[in-house]
Amino acid sequence: MGNLVAIVGRPNVGKSTLFNRLTKSRQAIVSDQAGTTRDRQYGKCEWCGHEFSVVDTGGWVVNSDDIFEEEIRKQVLVATEEADLVLFLVDIKNGVTDLDMDVAQILRRAKMPVILVANKADDGKDLYYQYDFYRLGLGDPMAVSAATGSGTGDLLDVVVARLPKASGELIEDGIPRFAVVGRPNAGKSSIINAFIGEDRNIVTEIAGTTRDSIYTRYDKFGFDFYLVDTAGIRRKNKVTEDLEFYSVMRSIRAIENSDVCILMIDATRGIESQDMNIFQLVQRNNKSLVVVVNKWDLVEDKSQIAIKTFENAIRERMAPFVDFPIIFASALTKQRIFKVLETAKQVYLNRTARVGTTKLNEVMLPLIEAFPPPSIKGKYIKIKYCSQLPNTQIPSFVFYANLPQYVKEPYRRFLENKIRENWQMTGCPINVFIRQK
């Protein structure tokens, strides 16, 4: 199970800067304007052989001009429900504010591991101010500077030491895991109940620790897989219901622990920014995807044209990755429910597809000759050989070129599309590497 670390704190204490520092991401969109990108709030951090996910709660506040204290409290509550460890950021130059006191109170009540981080200690003199934060009652403050990186190594040592050890799960390997994800009220619970149906006795539920997703073994009609259920395992705090951040935090674990993600979209509401957030999580974790448009029974116009329009709208929003199945279903009337399972199984098998090297070269080299990579600065790029890498998580192909550094993203995409046209890899991400021959 992946561990989840949440960074909380009031605005402008440097949450995003610390997030960028921990995830070593260069997308350092650290401006005073919230919402510049919606993609930077989630990343992975590796330290001394431990990998964990980091979530920056600051990025999820909708508009920066009116960040109410209420919003921040809500987010801290969600973070305490969902994360394994909270980093509470305060500004060493400002000292303790009233809002810091409020947040500290929520964290003390939550009785979960919290590390108090006094940020912006850019100067040796600033270290004297950290003792003020003992007032918050959260133990020793750690003075760091996210901007310069000083103190962050010590901080990571403490984080790794305090993360809970993974509990041994009774999950068999080699059995696919399907996660049902989507925003609240898209019908995740209903579709899981529809899958399981009344034969609840075939269902064995393995709950890991209370914070983990619940695995349900589904073994009938020739299928055998685990359903990773994100629906309804937490006590739902009333405040978190309307929070976009909430459902994304819920999805992270399920997505990380699955092979295929079944993304539920509500047919009556179309595709919204929140669906995109969850889709981006699926992509960043290289998971296979099946999109299910649920509540199709409620839609008036079911003509082929309407279906085509809806499909195109979804693919347009999710481009450049467009090679995934879309199924119009209804969990209520059980329409096409079986097809969802069949498709998910097929998509899972596509992950393990192997293409013989000879066949791959036979098909791809003539295509590359007909459409070579554009020449750059008068240099011609030649690709003479390609093969599929063995034992990778997702199908990965290597093309050997004389000048790999000049092959740009659009051409990579062209290669990927040609591979998809010739071999069945629907719904599953592909890696295309260009290497020196």
Side-chain angles (χ1 to χ4, degrees), residues 231 235 327-328 399 424 430:
R235 56 177 197 290
I327 298 165
F328 293 85
F399 291 82
Q424 171 78 23
I430 294 180

Side-chain angles (χ1 to χ4, degrees), residues 293-304:
V293 179
N294 189 25
K295 309 190 186 176
W296 193 237
D297 51 319
L298 301 178
V299 176
E300 302 284 309
D301 179 8
K302 293 190 178 65
S303 64
Q304 279 304 311

Side-chain angles (χ1 to χ4, degrees), residues 361 365 368-369 382-386 399-402 437:
N361 282 283
L365 291 183
I368 292 170
E369 224 156 88
K382 295 184 182 64
I383 297 178
K384 287 285 192 233
Y385 176 74
C386 52
F399 291 82
Y400 293 95
N402 54 347
K437 67 176 181 198

Side-chain angles (χ1 to χ4, degrees), residues 1 84 165-167 169 207-213:
M1 284 290 159
D84 296 310
K165 297 289 166 278
S167 53
E169 291 250 346
T209 60
T210 45
R211 301 180 167 276
D212 289 336
S213 312

Side-chain angles (χ1 to χ4, degrees), residues 205-422:
E205 297 205 340
I206 305 170
T209 60
T210 45
R211 301 180 167 276
D212 289 336
S213 312
I214 289 182
Y215 287 93
T216 309
R217 179 81 176 264
Y218 183 99
D219 187 2
K220 52 185 179 183
F221 304 131
F223 292 110
D224 186 6
F225 57 84
Y226 283 110
L227 273 172
V228 188
D229 180 4
T230 48
I233 14 178
R234 295 287 183 290
R235 56 177 197 290
K236 284 200 173 78
N237 267 352
K238 287 289 172 284
V239 283
T240 56
E241 275 313 288
D242 54 353
L243 203 59
E244 179 176 340
F245 172 60
Y246 179 63
S247 63
V248 176
M249 285 281 281
R250 297 294 295 268
S251 312
I252 288 176
R253 270 217 175 77
I255 290 171
E256 286 180 354
N257 298 325
S258 69
D259 298 308
V260 178
C261 296
I262 299 172
L263 173 59
M264 306 286 292
I265 290 178
D266 182 337
T268 56
R269 294 180 56 177
I271 186 163
E272 300 181 345
S273 66
Q274 177 136 8
D275 299 313
M276 291 307 298
N277 282 327
I278 294 174
F279 169 71
Q280 275 159 354
L281 285 174
V282 173
Q283 271 215 296
R284 308 257 311 256
N285 280 295
N286 277 339
K287 301 300 182 190
S288 303
L289 176 69
V290 176
V291 172
V292 176
V293 179
N294 189 25
K295 309 190 186 176
W296 193 237
D297 51 319
L298 301 178
V299 176
E300 302 284 309
D301 179 8
K302 293 190 178 65
S303 64
Q304 279 304 311
I305 302 169
I307 291 179
K308 209 70 211 135
T309 319
F310 207 121
E311 273 195 14
N312 292 343
I314 293 176
R315 291 192 204 281
E316 253 165 49
R317 288 290 299 273
M318 296 189 176
F321 178 45
V322 291
D323 187 19
F324 52 83
I326 299 176
I327 298 165
F328 293 85
S330 160
L332 196 66
T333 62
K334 297 206 163 81
Q335 180 189 18
R336 297 198 196 91
I337 287 294
F338 202 66
K339 178 142 189 242
V340 174
L341 293 184
E342 285 179 333
T343 313
K345 185 178 177 183
Q346 184 55 52
V347 165
Y348 175 73
L349 293 174
N350 291 350
R351 282 176 83 87
T352 52
R354 296 279 313 148
V355 179
T357 307
T358 328
K359 189 86 186 103
L360 186 67
N361 282 283
E362 269 173 24
V363 174
M364 294 303 289
L365 291 183
L367 283 170
I368 292 170
E369 224 156 88
F371 298 99
S375 59
I376 291 190
K377 301 177 188 157
K379 294 192 171 68
Y380 291 100
I381 303 163
K382 295 184 182 64
I383 297 178
K384 287 285 192 233
Y385 176 74
C386 52
S387 69
Q388 182 177 1
L389 293 171
N391 308 332
T392 48
Q393 277 223 299
I394 58 173
S396 304
F397 298 89
V398 183
F399 291 82
Y400 293 95
N402 54 347
L403 300 162
Q405 67 276 24
Y406 288 143
V407 179
K408 296 282 185 280
E409 190 52 42
Y411 195 75
R412 263 205 196 108
R413 213 166 283 153
F414 162 77
L415 293 173
E416 180 183 325
N417 290 340
K418 290 296 171 213
I419 292 172
R420 288 183 185 281
E421 277 169 29
N422 286 285

Side-chain angles (χ1 to χ4, degrees), residues 6-144:
I7 304 177
V8 303
R10 55 193 175 78
N12 241 340
V13 288
K15 292 191 292 291
S16 297
T17 317
L18 182 66
F19 173 81
N20 287 331
R21 171 74 57 188
L22 296 182
T23 54
K24 297 194 175 80
S25 52
R26 291 188 199 83
Q27 55 222 50
I29 306 185
V30 188
S31 71
D32 297 340
Q33 207 163 7
T36 23
T37 82
R38 311 289 287 158
D39 197 27
R40 66 156 189 271
Q41 299 84 347
Y42 161 80
K44 292 205 169 26
C45 172
E46 198 185 328
W47 184 254
C48 299
H50 295 266
E51 195 186 47
F52 53 90
S53 302
V54 189
V55 179
D56 162 21
T57 59
W60 298 105
V61 175
V62 188
N63 26 11
S64 61
D65 320 330
D66 45 35
I67 299 182
F68 299 120
E69 279 139 35
E70 197 42 44
E71 276 292 307
I72 291 162
R73 287 193 197 102
K74 274 185 196 173
Q75 289 191 320
V76 173
L77 270 170
V78 175
T80 54
E81 276 194 18
E82 298 295 330
D84 296 310
L85 173 76
V86 170
L87 295 181
F88 175 27
L89 233 62
V90 288
D91 182 338
I92 204 163
K93 291 184 164 59
N94 279 358
V96 178
T97 65
D98 293 350
L99 189 51
D100 289 336
M101 285 302 236
D102 288 354
V103 171
Q105 195 175 358
I106 297 171
L107 292 173
R108 285 198 308 268
R109 277 194 201 130
K111 294 192 172 54
M112 62 172 308
V114 176
I115 299 174
L116 179 58
V117 184
N119 188 24
K120 305 196 185 175
D122 311 329
D123 189 338
K125 295 191 201 68
D126 296 331
L127 297 176
Y128 296 114
Y129 303 123
Q130 66 181 337
Y131 303 110
D132 187 25
F133 294 104
Y134 276 106
R135 286 169 31 197
L136 297 175
L138 290 168
D140 301 331
M142 298 195 68
V144 304

